[in-house]
Amino acid sequence: MKSEKLRKTLIILFWLCLWQCVAMIVNQKIIFPGPSEVLLSLIERLSSRDFAIAVLCSMGRILLGLAAGMAVGCMFAMASYKAKLLGEFLSPVVTLIKAAPVASYAVLFLIWWNSAMLTFAVSLFVAFPIMYVNTLEGLNAVPDKYHKFDRIYRLSLRDKFMYIYRPSLSPFVLGAVRIACPMSFKAGIASEVIGTPLRSLGSDMYLSKVYFDTAGLFATTFTLIVLAYVWEKITVAVMTFLLTNSVRIKGTGVNGGERKTTMKSDVPTLRLKEINKSYGDKQVLRDITFILRRGDDMRIDWPSGEGKSTLLGIIAGIIRPDSGAVIKDGISRLSFMFQEDVLIENLSPLQNVMLVTNDYTLAKARLLKLLPEDRLDTKVCNLSGGERRRVSFALAISVGAELILLDEPFAGLDKGAIRIVEEIIAEVGTESIVIIASHV
């Protein structure tokens, strides 16, 4: 650590010495002032009340524009993510804003408004496309299986953001902040040089040009560099805390904790009427009709590719049938163990189950039947395939759903684990309708 600091100090001293040598060779303070002249000019400015006011005014305008641009960029990105057509309409506008020179903004805004609004508007237009593009990319990077997780288990808005969107958004938003902060500062000051609003650093730089005060120009530029650097570090630190800080899992508030159930009949009943589904020329489901009530279970052991997963998807409401009807009487909640492992990768097995049950005791009891205790707090992304299947199963049977759909629950399990899973299915099946698609 000490050697690294010493190395950095020596590098800074090298460049200062080189700067001084060049200034001595040029020997013209107006053309190229040395470090000592710049330092004296900086001290003079820092002791000036007018300069302090200029710093505060410029910072206020730039930061307001930066914050507004980032907020507007996030809002439009979320809207474009939900409405793809809106994204297509906004795409050429965002491209135009990114490509247009800052000078064009500055002149145009000076025509429309007075110079006092110039810095705010330019900073906003610089930050907006950066935040828009990065936020939209982050939203599009959310794995499709996370959307399935949310659709089945109906997470609260808080949990949906924290565990579905936040992990994917974090690197993109932090990247946008690191780019937008210095870009907005540079563009904002450049616009002030053009518009020369009162009480601004841009006006100070413009006057330095008029009076050939090169040392003053260097001093103001140094001040801006320090301000931009410090603000970027503060903003990144705050955003990093907000986007990566661990938070306590509270559960969904819909499928977790105390849940309200509205029953259309005394006994939960599932009715399928003449379900048909085709993919191209191949019809995988033809006139599927049956009735199941609480305590019933059905095993679907059709060959691969014959529509087992499709039928479960139609029952869950994820896949639309070509014709027919799925009627759920007295069923307010369902759970679905997909053929793929639909789990939140950066959470542990215990956290995944607690996310939809809001019950630590229940979550731990279910998982301990299937996993060693030392694996309960391991992130899902570090589990083996068989362990992931066990967590997926524990999640599906812990929700307290009236309808439980299990797609290949025995895949990847040894005989001992299969026996335990069968016992648990028999236990929960007395209070639920259970449909199992499996080759076993």
Side-chain angles (χ1 to χ4, degrees):
M1 181 64 72
K2 290 183 178 179
S3 61
E4 183 179 349
K5 288 182 178 180
L6 178 62
R7 185 170 65 251
K8 289 181 178 180
T9 303
L10 291 174
I11 291 172
I12 293 172
L13 289 174
F14 166 79
W15 285 110
L16 287 173
C17 290
L18 181 61
W19 179 7
Q20 181 63 41
C21 290
V22 173
M24 292 173 64
I25 293 171
V26 174
N27 198 26
Q28 290 287 338
K29 295 180 181 180
I30 293 177
I31 297 175
F32 196 82
S36 57
E37 289 85 5
V38 173
L39 179 60
L40 289 174
S41 182
L42 179 62
I43 293 172
E44 180 183 348
R45 277 165 162 71
L46 293 177
S47 61
S48 168
R49 179 175 177 273
D50 290 340
F51 186 76
I53 293 173
V55 169
L56 291 176
C57 290
S58 290
M59 282 285 290
R61 287 188 284 256
I62 291 171
L63 295 180
L64 283 175
L66 173 63
M70 292 173 64
V72 173
C74 283
M75 287 189 293
F76 273 97
M78 289 186 287
S80 298
Y81 178 69
K82 291 295 184 180
K84 302 301 181 184
L85 183 60
L86 175 62
E88 293 177 15
F89 272 97
L90 285 177
S91 179
V93 177
V94 173
T95 302
L96 181 64
I97 293 174
K98 287 194 298 182
V102 172
S104 298
Y105 295 148
V107 174
L108 183 61
F109 294 149
L110 276 174
I111 295 172
W112 289 349
W113 305 306
N114 58 41
S115 59
M117 288 291 295
L118 180 61
T119 310
F120 169 82
V122 169
S123 299
L124 186 154
F125 268 72
V126 168
F128 164 73
I130 297 172
M131 184 57 67
Y132 173 84
V133 171
N134 279 41
T135 302
L136 189 57
E137 288 182 0
L139 290 170
N140 287 325
V142 175
D144 183 60
K145 66 178 182 178
Y146 286 6
H147 294 299
K148 291 181 179 178
F149 188 103
D150 174 48
R151 187 165 183 178
I152 293 299
Y153 297 113
R154 295 176 292 170
L155 300 182
S156 66
L157 287 176
R158 171 192 177 275
D159 289 342
K160 188 183 297 187
F161 170 75
M162 296 302 296
Y163 307 111
I164 301 295
Y165 291 106
R166 191 178 70 154
S168 295
L169 277 173
S170 295
F172 291 93
V173 172
L174 290 175
V177 170
R178 289 189 177 97
I179 297 171
C181 280
M183 289 291 290
S184 293
F185 266 85
K186 289 191 288 187
I189 296 301
S191 68
E192 287 187 346
V193 174
I194 295 172
T196 60
L198 294 174
R199 300 182 182 87
S200 68
L201 292 175
S203 295
D204 184 83
M205 297 178 79
Y206 180 80
L207 291 175
S208 296
K209 184 204 77 167
V210 172
Y211 296 110
F212 297 101
D213 183 11
T214 312
L217 177 62
F218 278 32
T220 304
T221 302
F222 177 78
T223 304
L224 287 169
I225 291 171
V226 171
L227 290 173
Y229 176 82
V230 171
W231 186 255
E232 178 190 344
K233 293 297 181 183
I234 292 173
T235 306
V236 169
V238 171
M239 295 298 291
T240 301
F241 175 80
L242 293 175
L243 292 171
T244 62
N245 185 45
S246 298
V247 293
R248 180 176 176 272
I249 292 177
K250 294 182 178 180
T252 65
V254 177
N255 279 340
E258 295 182 2
R259 310 176 192 117
K260 296 180 180 180
T261 306
T262 55
M263 307 290 284
K264 294 183 180 179
S265 63
D266 292 334
V267 180
T269 304
L270 173 68
R271 294 182 175 87
L272 267 65
K273 293 185 177 181
E274 299 179 350
I275 296 295
N276 292 278
K277 181 65 178 178
S278 299
Y279 292 105
D281 296 332
K282 181 178 181 180
Q283 185 167 12
V284 294
L285 299 175
R286 184 190 300 273
D287 295 331
I288 303 297
T289 301
F290 60 78
I291 298 176
L292 295 174
R293 295 180 175 83
R294 182 172 59 196
D296 293 341
D297 69 81
M298 183 173 75
R299 308 228 171 186
I300 306 171
D301 57 359
W302 306 337
S304 296
E306 293 300 316
K308 298 189 300 295
S309 297
T310 298
L311 179 59
L312 294 186
I314 290 173
I315 295 171
I318 294 174
I319 299 174
R320 186 187 298 273
D322 296 334
S323 62
V326 177
I327 302 170
K328 303 183 184 84
D329 288 333
I331 298 175
S332 62
R333 301 181 301 275
L334 67 85
S335 62
F336 195 157
M337 178 183 178
F338 292 86
Q339 195 167 12
E340 61 171 324
D341 296 312
V342 178
L343 301 167
I344 308 299
E345 294 286 329
N346 62 328
L347 297 182
S348 68
L350 194 57
Q351 289 173 321
N352 267 273
V353 179
M354 283 183 61
L355 189 58
V356 297
T357 63
N358 197 26
D359 188 330
Y360 174 84
T361 303
L362 172 64
K364 187 172 183 178
R366 294 291 193 194
L367 286 165
L368 283 176
K369 293 183 178 181
L370 300 159
L371 289 173
E373 187 169 5
D374 62 351
R375 303 298 280 172
L376 300 191
D377 293 317
T378 303
K379 287 187 177 182
V380 166
C381 59
N382 296 323
L383 298 180
S384 67
E387 289 172 330
R388 287 167 176 255
R389 295 306 290 165
R390 299 179 194 204
V391 177
S392 296
F393 175 74
L395 179 64
I397 55 92
S398 299
V399 177
E402 293 91 358
L403 174 59
I404 302 174
L405 307 175
L406 305 174
D407 195 352
E408 299 292 351
F410 311 112
L413 303 182
D414 55 33
K415 291 183 178 180
I418 291 175
R419 177 180 55 78
I420 294 173
V421 167
E422 288 278 18
E423 292 174 355
I424 296 175
I425 291 174
E427 177 187 338
V428 301
T430 58
E431 297 296 326
S432 306
I433 300 169
V434 182
I435 302 177
I436 304 170
S438 174
H439 295 297
V440 179

